[in-house]
Amino acid sequence: MTTMSSERTALRTLTAVAGARQSARSFLESLGPTAIDPEHADSVILVVSELVTNALRHGGGSYTLRLAAHPGVIEVAVEDPSSDLPRMRTPDLVDGTGGFGWHMVNDLARATVITPLPEGGKTVRALLPR
């Protein structure tokens, strides 16, 4: 199994999300050219971007990103200090306040798991096809 961990505290949200996407790309490239279907790689990058954005927006500005390759799946795990759990919202088509991301993550992933942490906070995991 190949794993990678990246810990960041965001000074600017856009920079932090871009860094998370680049970390995910580097991780996927390290698996080798035939380890993941290109379409699935795009899904992994999208899920990383969404989970990190949510962690920054709702979790206090810091996150830990962990990526792992298992047989048949890529595990994306994002930890943040907020105990508030993700929830489905009706997407806002008028004012642009969001509501699309958690739906997208659940549509792309084979499974999502939210694990509260004993010291507070949570880890949100998404298992995606390779």
Side-chain angles (χ1 to χ4, degrees), residues 117-128:
L117 301 173
E119 66 277 4
K122 66 185 168 299
T123 301
V124 178
R125 285 184 179 76
L127 300 176
L128 294 116

Side-chain angles (χ1 to χ4, degrees), residues 2-120:
T2 303
T3 62
M4 181 180 112
S5 178
S6 176
E7 296 189 29
R8 297 178 186 262
T9 299
L11 299 176
R12 292 183 39 206
T13 301
L14 294 176
T15 303
V17 174
R21 283 193 302 263
Q22 185 54 50
S23 293
R25 281 188 197 94
S26 296
F27 172 76
L28 295 173
E29 289 170 4
S30 76
L31 299 176
T34 60
I36 185 167
D37 178 90
E39 184 177 319
H40 292 155
D42 290 342
S43 294
V44 169
I45 302 301
L46 268 172
V47 168
V48 165
S49 183
E50 185 58 36
L51 293 181
V52 167
T53 297
N54 285 348
L56 293 169
R57 182 174 291 156
H58 306 292
S62 65
Y63 70 92
T64 301
L65 169 66
R66 290 185 181 84
L67 301 164
H70 305 286
V73 297
I74 299 293
E75 177 182 353
V76 176
V78 176
E79 181 180 312
D80 70 59
S82 173
S83 297
D84 294 339
L85 303 180
R87 61 181 175 82
M88 293 290 184
R89 295 189 300 144
T90 301
D92 182 351
L93 300 173
V94 178
D95 296 321
T97 60
F100 295 93
W102 189 236
H103 288 280
M104 180 188 65
V105 169
N106 281 276
D107 287 344
L108 292 172
R110 289 185 178 168
T112 55
V113 178
I114 303 162
T115 307
L117 301 173
E119 66 277 4

